[in-house]
Amino acid sequence: MTLGLSGIGVSRGIAIGRLAMLRQGASNVFELRLDPDQIEPEISRFRNAVQQASQQLRVIQDTIPESTPKDVAEFIDTHLLMLDDEMLSEAPVNIIRERRCNAEWALKIQRDDLVSVFDRMEDPYLRTRQDDVNYVFARILRGLQRGEGGGETRRLSHRIIVAESLSPADIVFLQHNHIAGFITETGGPLSHSAILARSLKIPAVVGVHTATMLLQDNETVIIDGASGLVLADADQGVVADYRRKLRAQGERRRALLALREAPTVTLDRHHIALHANIELQEEVRSLKQVSAEGVGLYRTEFLYLKRDRPADEEEQLRTYRRVVRALAGKPLTVRTLDLGADKTCSDESAHPQGPNPALGLRAIRRCLKHVDAFKPQLRAILRAAAYGPVRLMFPMLTSISELDAALALLEQVKRELRRERRRFDNRIAVGAMIEVPAAAFSASAFAARLDFMSIGTNDLIQYTLAIDRMDDEVNYLYDPLHPAVLALISMALEAGKQAEIPVSMCGEMAGDTRYTRLLLGMGLREFSTPPSSLLEVRQVITRSRIDLLRDSCREILSMSDQGEIAQRVRQLNESDQTRQVAEC
């Protein structure tokens, strides 16, 4: 009997595959059910990992200096004894055989059983011995995950992953292992992970609150990343229907590839600049595949997240320079650090977040407060700009005084580089993101001081409508067509026009084809989208006439009812402007 679950579709596309459950904790462990012929090879893999862990500990034991305290040596002796104990070396083997599960899962089951035994002990000293169990467990697990053949990752190909949540790092890892799609219990359409899933073209549904309870490992699951529907144990007719949709999806993607080299020009001959948003160096290849004109948003938080320490100036310089060279003359717009809110780094203990992180010390506020931590990035960006066209962009400015402080700091860094006789671009183009209502209202004053502006719709909508975009309880209120949002976008575009500086849009709205014609009619001439959306946006642009859109968009901007606006935008998208050209 088909089980249907609803969530939030955050990355379009259909995926059909067997399910793999990701159990999260100190270490992430996938639950995979083995075929009978896979059991003995899996046991061999486990035994090799145990042997490897034992060899590593013996090497450590042999290289301990004589001056090392005796307790340390005993600590290693204890772990070696545990590796020889059947409770850790043989019990998981029995679990693999009896439950037909992968070695990581069997090891976790045994570890949980042992830890629960220690938890029940009354003696405080003995209770702490569970730390030894965890240490040995982690060492064997690392051996499994790094072992020959790729361990469990080898079997993740074409699987649909189910987890409580997934970090951006998890998603990159899974994408490298060719998963078909993923389902999470938490998250929203504007979370960092959802944005990355869209960029990497991984079908995804989030906010399926009971997914890890109701779905079973190894069963066949269908996910529809557009509607947010998840189907398990579907009958043959339903599966066949979705396989037809999957083939049609492939045909549409192949048809879009014909637009890779096409100029981005409207029917009435307006050239529109199409740039891409990227976060990882790997995405440069995707950008080239769709012939983007450059990078309109390069997120740099990955240099600070999930690391023991942030990247220093030299590492940042090497990273930016690699991207500049990979772009081969196309412009790179580097957004300075946007840490805080949903993006926290390893030094969070030194800079704790306030009670409301989205409204707290994040992005440029944080950078201007911790100048010593910010200057290495400014220096690295300026130095990288000596190797190709680079633009620097400050996020989340709210006032002219903030902008002036950021510009003054940039000039100070330039003077330092000049004194040190470092090579850098003294005339680097400097811009700012318009992503809070205060900045949109002040856009004219910003434009007078800047070389370009970029509208960040994700935060602009969040702050205008007072909804936390990470909270799936209020995600339904997120509406790019709210008249207040449209008015603020219009203000920013008009300010750029008056100051004669370019204004682009790099938020999710720019990559959503439902809004492409509306934005063209409002005056937007530069889009920066995820590489995965770029060809679809180009297709809409090449089928549109701006001269026919302007009056309709002026009418939409005068409306106050969201329902009427949505209806009018649908009509705008459904009109065949190719035919209207022929009739003109």
Side-chain angles (χ1 to χ4, degrees):
M1 184 173 165
T2 302
L3 170 66
L5 301 173
S6 292
I8 305 166
V10 296
S11 182
R12 285 181 293 167
I14 291 166
I16 304 173
R18 287 196 300 165
L19 189 146
M21 193 77 70
L22 174 60
R23 297 294 181 192
Q24 292 163 302
S27 297
N28 294 341
V29 171
F30 287 94
E31 294 182 4
L32 299 171
R33 188 76 61 183
L34 302 177
D35 296 331
D37 62 347
Q38 294 176 314
I39 291 175
E40 290 307 317
E42 191 69 1
I43 290 172
S44 295
R45 195 167 72 86
F46 175 76
R47 291 196 195 286
N48 287 339
V50 173
Q51 188 178 15
Q52 185 184 57
S54 179
Q55 287 170 347
Q56 289 168 347
L57 283 176
R58 289 188 195 287
V59 169
I60 295 170
Q61 189 181 46
D62 292 343
T63 54
I64 291 177
E66 290 184 3
S67 58
T68 303
K70 185 181 175 185
D71 290 352
V72 175
E74 289 177 351
F75 175 78
I76 295 172
D77 287 342
T78 300
H79 291 173
L80 282 167
L81 286 171
M82 290 175 71
L83 282 168
D84 287 336
D85 194 299
E86 290 188 354
M87 294 298 288
L88 267 177
S89 63
E90 287 303 318
V93 170
N94 296 331
I95 295 172
I96 294 171
R97 280 205 177 95
E98 291 166 6
R99 304 195 191 184
R100 289 175 45 195
C101 61
N102 56 312
E104 290 86 346
W105 187 7
L107 183 65
K108 183 177 184 306
I109 292 170
Q110 183 61 10
R111 175 260 176 205
D112 291 347
D113 285 349
L114 290 174
V115 167
S116 68
V117 171
F118 281 103
D119 273 342
R120 291 195 295 271
M121 291 180 176
E122 293 185 0
D123 187 315
Y125 173 76
L126 290 177
R127 270 205 307 275
T128 62
R129 304 312 294 179
Q130 65 176 271
D131 293 343
D132 294 314
V133 174
N134 285 326
Y135 180 88
V136 175
F137 160 79
R139 186 165 282 279
I140 299 173
L141 186 63
R142 281 200 297 274
L144 287 167
Q145 293 177 332
R146 297 173 182 171
E148 292 181 6
E152 64 187 4
T153 64
R154 178 167 41 109
R155 290 189 293 270
L156 294 179
S157 179
H158 305 299
R159 293 271 194 153
I160 291 176
I161 307 303
V162 177
E164 184 180 336
S165 64
L166 290 172
S167 69
D170 292 331
I171 291 168
V172 172
F173 166 80
L174 293 169
Q175 192 254 355
H176 284 169
N177 286 281
H178 310 294
I179 63 163
F182 69 79
I183 303 163
T184 61
E185 293 190 329
T186 61
L190 296 172
S191 67
H192 215 50
S193 298
I195 291 170
L196 188 57
R198 285 192 286 276
S199 178
L200 298 175
K201 302 180 187 175
I202 303 173
V205 178
V206 304
V208 186
H209 296 295
T210 52
T212 59
M213 290 175 57
L214 298 176
L215 298 174
Q216 303 295 317
D217 181 65
N218 226 33
E219 67 180 336
T220 298
V221 172
I222 299 168
I223 65 175
D224 185 337
S227 67
L229 185 64
V230 175
L231 299 172
D233 197 20
D235 62 44
Q236 290 185 353
V238 172
V239 174
D241 185 44
Y242 272 93
R243 289 201 184 282
R244 277 194 293 275
K245 291 180 179 177
L246 199 55
R247 285 193 293 275
Q249 172 182 292
E251 289 168 6
R252 281 196 301 276
R253 285 179 177 169
R254 283 190 289 277
L256 281 173
L257 290 178
L259 292 172
R260 273 185 304 185
E261 303 301 330
T264 312
V265 178
T266 63
L267 292 169
D268 51 344
R269 310 309 299 167
H270 290 275
H271 170 76
I272 306 299
L274 269 187
H275 296 259
N277 301 339
I278 66 168
E279 174 158 359
L280 305 168
Q281 193 180 336
E282 292 91 329
E283 293 176 275
V284 174
R285 186 186 303 169
S286 304
L287 175 154
K288 288 182 174 177
Q289 288 171 346
V290 295
S291 300
E293 294 179 32
V295 174
L297 171 64
Y298 179 37
R299 302 183 182 93
T300 56
E301 292 74 37
F302 74 97
L303 291 163
Y304 288 72
L305 301 173
K306 286 188 175 288
R307 299 170 57 111
D308 293 334
R309 62 181 60 185
D312 62 16
E313 177 183 334
E314 293 303 320
E315 183 181 350
Q316 293 196 49
L317 172 61
R318 287 194 298 274
T319 303
Y320 303 150
R321 196 167 51 196
R322 278 198 296 271
V323 179
V324 169
R325 286 174 170 160
L327 288 171
K330 292 182 176 180
L332 171 68
T333 306
V334 184
R335 182 181 72 184
T336 59
L337 276 176
D338 187 10
L339 289 176
D342 61 323
K343 290 165 283 192
T344 57
C345 65
S346 54
D347 69 343
E348 209 53 50
S349 58
H351 310 300
Q353 300 207 58
N356 191 338
L359 298 178
L361 193 63
R362 58 168 293 199
I364 195 67
R365 301 172 181 176
R366 180 187 178 120
C367 291
L368 291 176
K369 184 165 185 179
H370 303 290
V371 169
D372 289 344
F374 186 34
K375 281 170 72 174
Q377 184 180 43
L378 293 178
R379 288 171 60 94
I381 296 171
L382 285 166
R383 292 173 64 190
Y387 296 88
V390 173
R391 306 194 304 175
L392 184 150
M393 182 163 70
F394 296 117
M396 210 183 158
L397 290 162
T398 55
S399 67
I400 292 301
S401 60
E402 241 174 13
L403 174 58
D404 287 344
L407 293 174
L409 181 62
L410 186 65
E411 289 304 314
Q412 179 188 333
V413 170
K414 285 181 180 179
R415 287 195 295 276
E416 291 173 1
L417 290 172
R418 215 172 283 125
R419 278 199 302 273
E420 297 168 18
R421 297 183 181 278
R422 298 276 192 182
R423 184 183 173 198
F424 72 99
D425 182 0
N426 186 47
R427 303 181 65 183
I428 190 170
V430 179
M433 293 190 69
I434 303 299
E435 52 187 342
V436 296
F441 277 107
S442 307
S444 295
F446 279 119
R449 289 166 165 79
L450 295 167
D451 298 307
F452 68 95
M453 296 191 296
S454 183
I455 304 170
T457 52
N458 302 349
D459 276 331
L460 183 63
I461 296 168
Q462 167 177 248
Y463 293 125
T464 304
L465 304 184
I467 56 167
D468 184 345
R469 62 191 176 107
M470 300 303 298
D471 186 346
D472 56 8
E473 293 291 332
V474 293
N475 273 331
Y476 70 97
L477 293 170
Y478 184 88
D479 184 4
L481 296 181
H482 191 289
V485 173
L486 297 182
L488 293 171
I489 292 172
S490 182
M491 282 182 190
L493 291 171
E494 183 60 26
K497 183 179 175 183
Q498 293 301 322
E500 299 183 341
I501 66 168
V503 179
S504 66
M505 179 179 286
C506 60
E508 289 295 299
M509 193 176 176
D512 191 327
T513 54
R514 289 175 298 175
Y515 311 120
T516 305
R517 282 186 167 175
L518 171 66
L519 295 170
L520 286 172
M522 290 173 66
L524 186 68
R525 298 293 179 266
E526 290 191 14
F527 293 67
S528 190
T529 79
S532 59
S533 305
L534 193 143
L535 291 180
E536 290 176 272
V537 174
R538 179 175 289 153
Q539 184 179 54
V540 174
I541 290 171
T542 57
R543 294 176 177 178
S544 301
R545 284 188 56 152
I546 289 177
D547 59 348
L548 296 179
L549 294 171
R550 287 194 182 106
D551 288 345
S552 298
C553 291
R554 270 196 289 270
E555 181 191 344
I556 289 170
L557 284 172
S558 70
M559 293 177 171
S560 57
D561 183 278
Q562 289 169 255
E564 290 179 6
I565 291 174
Q567 174 63 22
R568 192 72 188 88
V569 171
R570 274 196 296 274
Q571 291 170 354
L572 205 64
N573 293 333
E574 289 165 3
S575 64
D576 185 349
Q577 298 192 331
T578 307
R579 179 179 297 178
Q580 292 177 47
V581 167
E583 292 172 349
C584 286

